[in-house]
Amino acid sequence: MNLLNYLNTNDRFAAANGAQLTEIRNGYAKAVMKIEQRHLNGGNVCQGGALFTLADLALAAVMNNHGKLTFGICSSISFLKSAKEGDILVAEAIEVCNHHRIPYAEVRVTNQHNDLICVLNGTSYRKDIPLP
């Protein structure tokens, strides 16, 4: 099983919330999610936790693509524009620093109009444990 299938199957929280990986390659990962009513907050726009979940899935993919179990240790997200029901969001993660222990990546989430919705910066910790 490759990493894309592994994460789409085993990241149960992301899957239950409609986030799915569509591409993983060296230094890059992409995940998508359609905003549904279940993602909306009291202001009738996409809840920040749903946006974070999508971005975090792309971050996990780009960080774990080196074959060693890697977990996020610090993430910062900036919400720039609201996402609405029906929007198709794409999270693209770019590996900025492939440090052997503390890698760093940036994730940009855009909608179907290429509007920038949010940006996540993430630092992870890479263990000496191979991925399952």
Side-chain angles (χ1 to χ4, degrees):
M1 178 179 288
N2 65 24
L3 181 60
L4 187 142
N5 292 332
Y6 178 81
L7 289 174
N8 278 337
T9 301
N10 292 297
D11 191 327
R12 294 169 293 279
F13 186 81
N17 284 283
Q20 183 173 17
L21 289 162
T22 60
E23 183 179 353
I24 303 173
R25 54 183 157 83
N26 191 31
Y28 177 84
K30 184 185 338 184
V32 298
M33 180 172 68
K34 181 177 181 180
I35 302 305
E36 300 172 353
Q37 190 172 15
R38 64 182 166 152
H39 299 115
L40 303 182
N41 63 19
N44 211 34
V45 295
C46 185
Q47 206 268 351
L51 296 171
F52 190 93
T53 296
L54 175 64
D56 189 57
L57 179 62
L59 178 70
V62 78
M63 293 297 194
N64 279 284
N65 199 31
H66 297 281
K68 291 185 178 179
L69 194 57
T70 307
F71 293 103
I73 57 173
C74 181
S75 293
S76 171
I77 192 165
S78 295
F79 302 108
L80 306 171
K81 184 173 183 174
S82 295
K84 297 175 177 54
E85 186 174 1
D87 281 350
I88 307 293
L89 302 184
V90 176
E92 294 181 282
I94 303 291
E95 184 177 63
V96 175
C97 176
N98 179 25
H99 187 272
H100 69 284
R101 279 283 181 235
I102 312 291
Y104 175 82
E106 296 174 349
V107 184
R108 295 172 53 95
V109 177
T110 57
N111 66 13
Q112 68 275 13
H113 305 295
N114 208 34
D115 297 328
L116 186 59
I117 303 299
C118 63
V119 178
L120 180 139
N121 297 298
T123 305
S124 296
Y125 181 77
R126 187 167 289 141
K127 302 181 103 180
D128 277 329
I129 300 171
L131 282 171

